Amino acid sequence: MIAARHHEMPGDFVFKHAFIAVAILLCSPGVFADQRQNYPFSVETVREGSGHRIVARNGGPAAVSVAVSIADSRNVSANRPFPVYAVVPAGSGTFELARIRPAVPGVGHGFRVRSTWLLGDFNARPNPDASYRLPYRDGLAFHIGQAPGSRATTHTEPESRYAVDIAMPEGTPVVAARDGVVIYTEARQVYGGQSPDLRNRANAVRIRHADGTMALYAHLAHDGVQVYPGQLVTAGRQIGLSGSTGYSSGPHLHFAVQTVARRGDGLTTVSLPFQFYVGNPPAVFSPRLGMYAAAQYSSPGRAPVVFAPARPGQ
């Protein structure tokens, strides 16, 4: 493993290294699984007359996809078939999902509700023309470690398959890669390492874009989040500081573009292929292992080249 390095760039950057060592930084694919701990969403059963209403309550800034089923039911009739799939709008308060009544009036009835939910809209239609600026400050350049197509990768789950890891020193300013609304933040986590109990404990920011997709910025420093849920941000606005919290082998930024999808009888978060851009006018490129990507947005863009890993003895 090599230490992450960064360089300030005096305008146009010239690559000088024929070979580099590329760090493969390990991170948990489930960095964001703790969203239920501090997002204001719930599914509840409310008594109404002789029956019940199943409702969702969304007090946060994100649309939420929810799947609801019933079990151990007896003498029940529902106003819609189960499982119920719905998208509960941001800040919608009480949102009705279904109504349950006794199938035979006057006879006892019962049921249990099972639900699962994820931030995001499973009806979202990603904009195929969208591109993303590099998620760090102008004048910096970093190596891209894990990326789609890498032979050595821990990005094997649907939520991280198209994610990238960018090696950068702890405390590096992280900026929004695309305009959007902050929908989730976590900054309380302190530790990082490769202990199993650190899975799902990365500090992170999630930002929703106009097309319903979401960007995840993970492994941020302890207390290193500089935005709040509901805040509008533009591309290039600083949102936090890089770190190595959660399941991580070293300081880096885990960046992914995601949406929610229906899979079988449930919901899952899936990552999407995306492209970065640099320069003005921009040059658009797909991230690849070994790229040394320079954030400059004032002169004509030039896509980064891919360096070969250092040969033994070099």
Side-chain angles (χ1 to χ4, degrees):
M1 187 65 62
I2 63 170
R5 295 175 296 168
H6 77 285
H7 301 273
E8 299 282 352
M9 299 183 306
D12 198 18
F13 185 81
V14 178
F15 293 105
K16 296 181 180 179
H17 306 287
F19 296 97
I20 62 170
V22 178
I24 302 298
L25 291 152
L26 303 180
C27 64
S28 167
V31 294
F32 196 64
D34 63 350
Q35 61 186 335
R36 294 179 180 86
Q37 294 181 12
N38 60 357
Y39 188 84
F41 183 86
S42 63
V43 174
E44 303 171 12
T45 302
V46 179
R47 184 85 181 189
E48 185 178 75
S50 61
H52 296 81
R53 296 166 65 222
I54 301 174
V55 300
R57 303 189 194 278
N58 185 0
V64 174
S65 294
V66 61
V68 177
S69 60
I70 57 174
D72 302 330
S73 62
R74 56 185 178 84
N75 189 37
V76 299
S77 175
N79 68 334
R80 58 189 303 185
F82 284 89
V84 171
Y85 296 92
V87 177
V88 184
S92 57
T94 302
F95 185 94
E96 184 175 296
L97 298 169
R99 291 175 179 260
I100 304 290
R101 294 284 184 269
V104 179
V107 178
H109 71 287
F111 61 94
R112 288 192 301 113
V113 175
R114 295 175 176 170
S115 66
T116 184
W117 59 270
L118 292 170
L119 297 186
D121 182 349
F122 63 71
N123 294 316
R125 296 293 179 263
N127 178 1
D129 298 321
S131 58
Y132 296 77
R133 65 151 288 148
L134 292 167
Y136 40 89
R137 194 181 66 200
D138 291 13
L140 297 180
F142 298 105
H143 293 125
I144 293 177
Q146 294 194 81
S150 303
R151 285 184 296 175
T153 181
T154 57
H155 296 169
T156 57
E157 300 298 323
E159 65 182 18
S160 60
R161 188 157 295 145
Y162 296 100
V164 299
D165 287 343
I166 304 172
M168 59 179 63
E170 187 145 358
T172 300
V174 174
V175 306
R178 184 178 169 191
D179 298 352
V181 179
V182 177
I183 59 173
Y184 177 91
T185 64
E186 171 60 60
R188 299 168 298 174
Q189 306 302 321
V190 178
Y191 302 107
Q194 292 182 262
S195 173
D197 64 352
L198 291 173
R199 294 183 184 275
N200 310 324
R201 293 185 180 275
N203 292 324
V205 170
R206 289 196 85 168
I207 295 176
R208 175 179 54 82
H209 310 127
D211 59 0
T213 60
M214 302 167 289
L216 170 65
Y217 307 76
H219 300 293
L220 302 178
H222 170 63
D223 222 13
V225 171
Q226 299 169 333
V227 288
Y228 56 87
Q231 183 176 352
L232 294 171
V233 295
T234 55
R237 199 266 192 213
Q238 187 167 325
I239 61 172
L241 301 172
S242 65
S244 188
T245 53
Y247 190 84
S248 169
S249 64
H252 71 288
L253 176 68
H254 176 96
F255 177 80
V257 177
Q258 300 173 324
T259 190
V260 176
R262 288 175 54 173
R263 292 285 173 87
D265 288 335
L267 301 165
T268 187
T269 300
V270 297
S271 60
L272 302 171
F274 67 90
Q275 292 185 309
F276 284 129
Y277 70 89
V278 293
N280 182 23
V284 178
F285 63 96
S286 297
R288 293 290 180 264
L289 171 67
M291 280 183 168
Y292 193 58
Q296 74 81 17
Y297 294 91
S298 58
S299 58
R302 187 172 53 180
V305 298
V306 177
F307 285 107
R311 292 196 285 255
Q314 292 186 323

